[in-house]
């Protein structure tokens, strides 16, 4: 299975990609995670990306394409993957097409996870990561018991540097201007599936599985 998850920031691409990875043994390629790791590791790429990401702008196409190439060439599971957060503009989509043609790894589907704008802002502004367990929690949606679990484990709820209101607004604008045109692009080549991304994680996952015609 080779799929792209498309959707606005906060639509749940990362969460759903993790579930697909777990259930179907896919390679999850998240350019956001790779870039955050580069920042933590203090690499050259991380240094270039840090301020751009904090502001909610897009990192250069060359940098993210390099990350994708490395991921697809170094992992043994490369035949099956879920891309989460890539491509984010038409130029990235074209580079990806060329790369996948060269590797003879055609895409099966691009799945748009569609979420209402009000929900997106709540999901992003309420998102916290537990410093101890690494679990993602939402101060508006998570059960109190999940929050307590983190605190009892001695963790703190950390907010991503780009989950402040200014950056969130910019990320949503960048999505509308640069990423949304990809919806028509994938509709035209017949690969697009649309999934309602509102509601609970498990419910959205069921819709996603159904849309791509697989069973757990
Ligand atoms: P995400 O974790 O997918 O929300 O991505 C966080 C941030 O990483 C984005 O706001 C961008 O600054 C950067 N980023 C992630 N993926 C890409 C991409 N494909 N192209 C450019 N920048 C990206």
């Amino acid at each position: 299975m080779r799929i792209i998850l498309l959707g606005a920031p906060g639509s749940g691409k990362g969460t759903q990609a993790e579930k697909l990875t777990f259930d179907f043994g896919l390679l999850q390629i998240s350019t956001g995670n790779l870039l955050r790791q580069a920042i933590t590791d203090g690499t050259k790429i991380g240094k270039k990306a840090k301020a751009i990401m904090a502001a909610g702008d897009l990192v250069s196409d060359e940098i993210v394409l390099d990350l994708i190439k490395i991921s697809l060439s170094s992992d043994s599971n490369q035949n099956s993957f879920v891309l989460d957060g890539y491509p984010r503009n038409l130029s990235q989509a074209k580079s990806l097409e060329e790369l996948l043609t060269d590797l003879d790894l055609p895409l099966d589907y691009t799945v748009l996870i569609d979420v209402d704008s009000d929900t997106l802002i709540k999901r992003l502004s309420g998102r916290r990561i537990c410093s101890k367990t690494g679990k993602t929690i939402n101060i508006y949606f998570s059960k109190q018991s999940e929050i307590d679990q983190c605190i009892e484990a001695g963790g703190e709820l950390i907010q991503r540097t780009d989950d402040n209101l200014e950056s969130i607004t910019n990320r949503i604008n960048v999505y509308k201007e640069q990423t949304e045109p990809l919806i028509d692009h994938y509709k035209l080549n017949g690969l697009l599936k649309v999934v309602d991304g509102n509601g609970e994680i498990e419910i959205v996952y069921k819709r996603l599985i159904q849309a791509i015609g697989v069973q757990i």
Side-chain angles (χ1 to χ4, degrees), residues 33 36 127-129 158-164 171:
N33 286 350
R36 276 184 289 279
R127 177 164 58 186
R128 302 287 184 277
I129 320 289
I158 309 286
Q159 190 168 29
R160 252 171 65 166
T161 46
D162 58 352
D163 276 346
N164 61 78
R171 283 155 69 203

Side-chain angles (χ1 to χ4, degrees), residues 9-10 13 30-33 35-36 49 52-61 64 84-89 92 124 127 160 162 167 171:
K13 299 183 297 295
S30 158
T31 39
N33 286 350
L35 289 165
R36 276 184 289 279
I52 300 172
M53 286 175 75
D57 290 322
L58 293 188
V59 173
S60 81
D61 291 346
V64 283
D84 133 35
Y86 189 92
R88 263 176 150 97
N89 59 32
Q92 292 181 10
L124 292 167
R127 177 164 58 186
R160 252 171 65 166
D162 58 352
S167 179
R171 283 155 69 203

Side-chain angles (χ1 to χ4, degrees), residues 15-24 195-196 200-211 214 216:
T15 306
Q16 298 297 330
E18 268 173 33
K19 291 185 72 62
L20 286 172
T21 302
F22 182 80
D23 284 339
F24 299 100
V195 166
D196 177 1
E200 288 179 18
I201 293 170
E202 293 304 326
I203 295 172
V204 176
Y205 187 56
K206 273 194 189 142
R207 294 180 192 135
L208 171 57
I209 294 295
Q210 204 172 19
V214 290
I216 305 169

Side-chain angles (χ1 to χ4, degrees), residues 28-113:
Q28 179 183 358
I29 306 177
S30 158
T31 39
N33 286 350
L34 292 170
L35 289 165
R36 276 184 289 279
Q37 190 59 50
I39 293 176
T40 305
D41 295 343
T43 66
K44 228 173 167 181
I45 286 181
K47 286 185 183 129
K48 277 191 191 165
K50 192 171 179 181
I52 300 172
M53 286 175 75
D57 290 322
L58 293 188
V59 173
S60 81
D61 291 346
E62 291 74 25
I63 288 182
V64 283
L65 181 60
D66 277 349
L67 293 174
I68 294 287
K69 282 183 178 165
I70 293 167
S71 300
L72 284 176
S73 63
S74 64
D75 200 288
S76 55
N77 275 332
Q78 76 208 38
N79 283 343
S80 299
F81 56 77
V82 51
L83 284 170
D84 133 35
Y86 189 92
R88 263 176 150 97
N89 59 32
L90 276 170
S91 147
Q92 292 181 10
K94 289 185 178 145
S95 302
L96 178 67
E97 271 147 34
E98 283 170 22
L99 178 65
L100 295 181
T101 304
D102 285 349
L103 296 171
D104 195 21
L105 297 172
L107 279 175
D108 295 313
Y109 297 113
T110 295
V111 183
L112 170 67
I113 306 182

